[in-house]
Each structure stands twice: as C-alpha cells, then as structure tokens.
C-alpha cells in the first residue's frame, strides 16, 4: 500500500458567503482527478485552499497518516505543493531560471547556490531531454509556448522533489496532442513518488490518466469514482441525461436569411488564415484548444492589434481595421468569459439602468428625448429583471444575474455581430443552460453569433435546447 501524503475528512471552509465541504485522500505516486461541478468551479473555491486564499474551519486533517491541524496543513501546502494554471503565465520579465529557482521553493540563501549547481547537473540535463525541454535558462518565461510552460512546471516540481503538484483545467488550454506530451512528463514525477492532483471537467481526459476521480457536487465531495466505474456513472451521479452524438447530428441545420460576417484569408500572428461565413441568426463555433486563437483575435478587437492580411466584411461591406474598432459596441458586440472581470463588458459601479442607457443613448440619435428613452428602457428591461434591481449598482448583483444581464445588454443593443470569447469557461455548469438560452435569444433577433472556445461537444450532449443545436455550426479551423 502506498504511503499516504494527505487526507482531509469533512473539511469545511467559507468562500463568498457559502460553506463548502470536501474530502481529500492522496498517496505517493498517485494521480487523482477532481471533477468540479455545480456550485464549485475549478480554479476558484476548491483550489483556493491550495492557493492560500481560503482556510479550513472544521474537519479532520492527516499528514503522512498523523493527525494535524489546519495551520499545519496550510504550512504543508506552502512548503510541499505547487500549482500550475494559466493565470501564472503572465510575467514579461521572469526568465526560465527565475521561474525554476527563485519561484520554485522558499529556501535559505546558502542553498540557492546548490540549486543553481543542480540545475546544470547531468541528471537534470537528462530529465530535461526526456521531457522534451531545452535548457534555455535565460529565455523569457512569457516567450514559452503553453505546452512548454506546463512541461516546465512539471519539471520544476520534479527538480524540487515537490510532494504534490496541482494542475488546473488542462483541457481548456492545451490541444490533445499536447496533453499527451504533458502527461508523459507527469509520469516521471509520479515515478519519483510525488502525487498529482488534476482539476478538470473532461471525463475522457480524466479517465485516461488518473487513478481515481473525486466528484464535487452542490459544494461538497459527493462520490469517489474508481476505474471499474469509469463510463456513464459520472452522468448518473450528477443527474445528467447523456445525449448521444447521433441525436446531435440529426438536428436540422439552421438556414439564415443572409450572410452577416464573411472573412477571407484573415490572418493573425501564429495562426492559419481564417475563411468562413456566419449567417443571420446562426451560432458559429470556432474551436481553440490552446488559447492562441482567442488571444490573437481578442487582441485585435480589444487591444488594437491589426490583423496581418485578409478581408473582414460585415453585411456585405468591407471594413478596414480602424473602422472595425469604431463599430465595437454598436455594430459589433464583444462578450468575454466573465463580465465581472477587469476587462469585462459591464460598468459595475453604475446601476443596471445606467449601463443600458450608456450604450443605447448614442445609438438612438440626437433628437431622442433622454427621459422618454430611459422610461422605454426601464419598461423593456423590467420584463426581464425587477425594477428595484435595475436601479441598483451592478456590483450588488450576484454573478449569475450579472452574467445574464451582460447578454441582455447585447440583446437590446442588437449588434449585427456578437463575438463571445470562451463563454462557458470558468462558469458553473448550472449556468451553461442560461448562457445557451441567452445566445439563442440574441440569435433570434438576427444577430450572427461567433463563439470562440476550447470545446462544446460535452455541452451539446447535456443541453435540452434543440434550437441551440439547430442554430449551431462548426467553423473549420486548424484544430479540426
């Protein structure tokens, strides 16, 4: 029997006013999957324990089989675990050496000299070669590909002989062929006796690489799924009805009235040219498995980075890049992953009514009486939201309410094209159906909906919205 590293029984903590309960059991050399759903989203409440943002208030904690307290657990996590997620890939100044040595593990100054020596040792060189990494220690961390960044994170855990490595939402970030290479690296870590915890919402990936899947539902660990149960048992536990791919493929395709968006040879850095059309009322899906596509296109529409070549036509009219920027907010809507983030689509300190008037007044023209327009907006919006809520600042609304409101704003603005960047990423699965309903509502107004995301098949399998399936079509891309 493998030596137990960490065990938590009935662990409880608070996050954003809600109580969470989880059980955790992991031993040396084990790779454990965490399927996080419903009220707990991977990378937020559950992982906050390992990031030091949340603290256990109750429950039993065991370290190496011995009873310990919550403070000892926090100290153990700080000293013996590492996390690799996409949000740590932001620094423009750090070198690869800085990432491995300076940010690797808190050590006394005298030991840092030994660490730098070990970095150049033959054993280290051999491991880098086996992991497919080049020892370019002075290279900027930000210049690494996503695959190399994650491989470097695994190498860093191996280098410091970390007891536990936590990997978050890999299938939202890496392509399948990259996942295979990364998990090849993880095997060296497991052979060393380290443990790996993977939080993800792709059961196919988890079934292939983990020893056990812990399922979190309704803010608590509800079931431990072992290999002999890997299949549709997950869907039974979560109460989902799995939709067969054949039933999806038999949905009649949507026939739009006219082409709204047409791009030809549209080229961004490090991307193959895009060639596709989106019709009125259609929901077009472009797959992006490593965040490269979405980052390039988002930089174009939100970061003032021009495309390299090609044409962008909206309702038959060819647009130069500067004209596209001027059309954002009126003819072109932008919906990002979470409207409550710093680069979101809402003004959180303004009331909901002010948010709507700020985007509708310029579109209404000079001759419209502001008071009459505000009354009309209030009357229309009150069909969807309470009048009292519309007069409150949006930062007082719950996340689901703000999310629904962000789509409703585009419903009223009614742009010809609505671009949605990773609309389902980071969202609790109970909100997926709400997002689908709002996408369909916007499409019914005649908008062309362009969705850029990592994957949508699992969402299609679960949804009961047949109109969404009818309006959805896949855009051929580099990854399909």
């Amino acid at each position: 029997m493998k030596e137990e590293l960490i065990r938590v029984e009935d662990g409880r903590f608070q996050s954003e006013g809600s109580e969470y309960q989880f059980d955790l059991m992991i031993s040396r050399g084990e790779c454990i999957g965490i399927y996080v759903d419903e009220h707990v989203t991977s990378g937020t409440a559950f992982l906050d324990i390992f990031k030091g943002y949340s603290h256990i208030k109750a429950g039993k904690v065991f370290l190496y089989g011995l009873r310990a307290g919550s403070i000892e657990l926090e100290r153990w996590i700080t000293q013996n675990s590492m996390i690799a997620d996409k949000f740590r890939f932001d620094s423009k100044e750090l070198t690869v050496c800085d990432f491995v040595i300076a940010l690797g593990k808190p050590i006394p100054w005298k030991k840092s000299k030994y660490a730098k020596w070990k970095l150049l040792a033959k054993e280290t060189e051999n491991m880098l070669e086996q992991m497919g990494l080049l020892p370019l220690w002075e290279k900027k961390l930000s210049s690494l590909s996503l695959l190399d960044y994650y491989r470097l994170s695994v190498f860093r855990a191996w280098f410091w002989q970390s007891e536990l490595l936590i990997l978050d939402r890999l299938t939202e970030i890496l392509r399948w062929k990259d996942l295979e290479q990364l998990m090849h690296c993880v095997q060296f870590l497991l052979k060393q006796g380290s443990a790996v915890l993977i939080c993800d919402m792709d059961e196919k990936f988890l079934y292939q690489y983990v020893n056990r899947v812990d399922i979190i539902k309704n803010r608590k660990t509800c079931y431990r799924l072992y290999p002999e149960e890997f299949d549709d048992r997950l869907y039974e536990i979560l109460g989902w009805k799995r939709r067969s791919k054949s039933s999806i493929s038999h949905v009649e395709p949507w026939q739009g009235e006219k082409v709204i968006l047409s791009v030809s040879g549209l080229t961004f850095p490090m991307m193959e040219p895009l060639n596709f059309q989106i019709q009125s009322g259609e929901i077009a899906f472009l797959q992006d498995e490593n965040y490269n596509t979405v980052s390039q296109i988002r930089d174009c529409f939100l970061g003032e980075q021009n495309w390299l070549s090609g044409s962008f036509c909206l309702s038959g009219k060819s647009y130069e890049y500067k004209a596209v920027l001027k059309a954002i907010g009126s003819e072109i809507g932008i919906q990002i992953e979470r409207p409550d983030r710093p680069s979101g689509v809402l003004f959180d300190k303004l009331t909901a009514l002010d948010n709507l008037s700020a985007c509708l007044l310029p579109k209404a023209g000079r001759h419209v009486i502001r008071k009459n327009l505000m009354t009309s907006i209030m009357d229309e919006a009150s069909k969807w939201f309470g009048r009292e809520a519309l007069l409150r600042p949006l930062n007082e609304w719950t996340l689901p309410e703000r999310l629904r409101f962000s789509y409703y704003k585009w419903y009223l603005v009614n742009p010809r094209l609505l671009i949605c960047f990773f609309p389902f990423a980071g969202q609790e699965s109970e909100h997926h159906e709400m997002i689908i309903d709002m996408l369909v509502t916007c499409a019914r107004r005649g908008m062309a909906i362009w969705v850029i995301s990592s994957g949508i098949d699992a969402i299609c399998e679960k949804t009961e919205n047949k109109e969404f399936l009818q309006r959805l079509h896949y855009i051929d891309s580099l990854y399909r």
Side-chain angles (χ1 to χ4, degrees), residues 291 293-304 334 336-337 343 421 452:
Y291 274 76
T293 300
V294 75
S295 64
Q296 295 297 333
I297 297 176
R298 184 160 51 185
D299 283 348
C300 168
F301 289 99
L302 297 178
E304 298 188 6
I334 304 291
I336 66 167
E337 305 99 309
S343 57
F421 294 109
I452 307 170

Side-chain angles (χ1 to χ4, degrees), residues 329 345-347 350-364 370 373-374 377 405 409 413:
V345 297
L346 302 175
F347 299 103
L350 296 182
T351 67
L353 184 60
D354 288 338
N355 264 272
L356 294 177
S357 62
C359 58
L360 289 172
L361 277 172
K363 196 170 184 178
R370 177 183 173 86
L373 180 61
M374 294 288 280
I377 294 174
F405 181 81
K409 186 192 85 167
V413 174

Side-chain angles (χ1 to χ4, degrees), residues 154-219:
V154 175
F155 166 78
R156 186 176 67 164
W158 173 87
F159 182 83
W160 289 108
Q161 297 184 325
S162 179
E163 299 274 34
L164 176 64
L165 174 66
I166 299 102
L167 299 171
D168 182 33
R169 288 180 290 181
L170 295 175
T171 56
E172 287 187 8
I173 300 164
L174 298 175
R175 294 171 291 184
W176 270 97
K177 64 179 183 180
D178 294 337
L179 287 170
E180 292 174 1
Q181 295 182 59
L182 178 64
M183 295 310 293
H184 171 73
C185 299
V186 167
Q187 295 306 312
F188 296 112
L189 197 59
L190 297 174
K191 289 177 183 177
Q192 179 177 261
S194 302
V196 176
L197 198 66
I198 301 179
C199 294
D200 209 277
M201 293 187 70
D202 188 311
E203 63 271 22
K204 177 184 174 184
F205 169 69
L206 292 176
Y207 289 173
Q208 184 170 343
Y209 291 107
V210 305
N211 303 109
R212 186 187 78 237
V213 178
D214 290 355
I215 303 172
I216 293 182
K217 179 183 178 183
N218 297 328
R219 300 189 180 96

Side-chain angles (χ1 to χ4, degrees), residues 6-15 18-26 32-37 40 44-63 69-70 73-74 76-77 164 166 197 199 212 214-224:
I6 180 173
R7 173 161 43 104
V8 179
E9 297 176 357
D10 196 27
R12 296 174 185 270
F13 65 96
Q14 295 279 333
S15 180
S18 299
E19 183 174 275
Y20 297 83
Q21 182 268 323
F22 74 103
D23 295 278
L24 182 67
M25 180 178 66
I26 188 165
I32 302 301
I34 305 290
Y35 192 97
V36 189
D37 193 61
V40 183
T44 53
F46 183 77
L47 281 186
D48 281 351
I49 288 290
F50 297 96
K51 292 180 178 179
Y53 302 151
S54 295
H55 309 281
I56 293 180
K57 302 299 182 183
K60 295 180 180 179
V61 176
F62 298 86
L63 298 174
S70 59
L73 174 64
E74 290 173 20
W76 187 92
I77 288 173
L164 176 64
I166 299 102
L197 198 66
C199 294
R212 186 187 78 237
D214 290 355
I215 303 172
I216 293 182
K217 179 183 178 183
N218 297 328
R219 300 189 180 96
K220 66 180 295 184
T221 305
C222 71
Y223 198 85
R224 284 189 171 137

Side-chain angles (χ1 to χ4, degrees), residues 241-253 457-470:
K241 295 180 180 178
R242 185 158 196 162
R243 186 185 299 277
S244 67
K245 291 188 180 293
S246 60
S247 65
I248 296 173
S249 61
H250 285 116
V251 175
E252 291 295 324
D457 288 346
I459 291 170
C460 289
E461 288 180 356
K462 300 165 192 171
T463 184
E464 297 295 325
N465 194 321
K466 294 182 180 179
E467 187 176 347
F468 173 75
L469 300 174
Q470 182 186 18

Side-chain angles (χ1 to χ4, degrees), residues 11 28 47 61 74 90 109 111 118 122 190 203 205 232 239 309 353 363 375 379 381 386 394 400 435 455 475 479:
R28 292 190 185 279
L47 281 186
V61 176
E74 290 173 20
D90 294 329
W109 176 81
K111 289 189 177 182
K118 183 182 176 183
K122 185 65 177 177
L190 297 174
E203 63 271 22
F205 169 69
D232 287 347
S309 60
L353 184 60
K363 196 170 184 178
T375 301
D379 290 343
L394 280 176
I435 295 170
I475 296 173
Y479 308 120

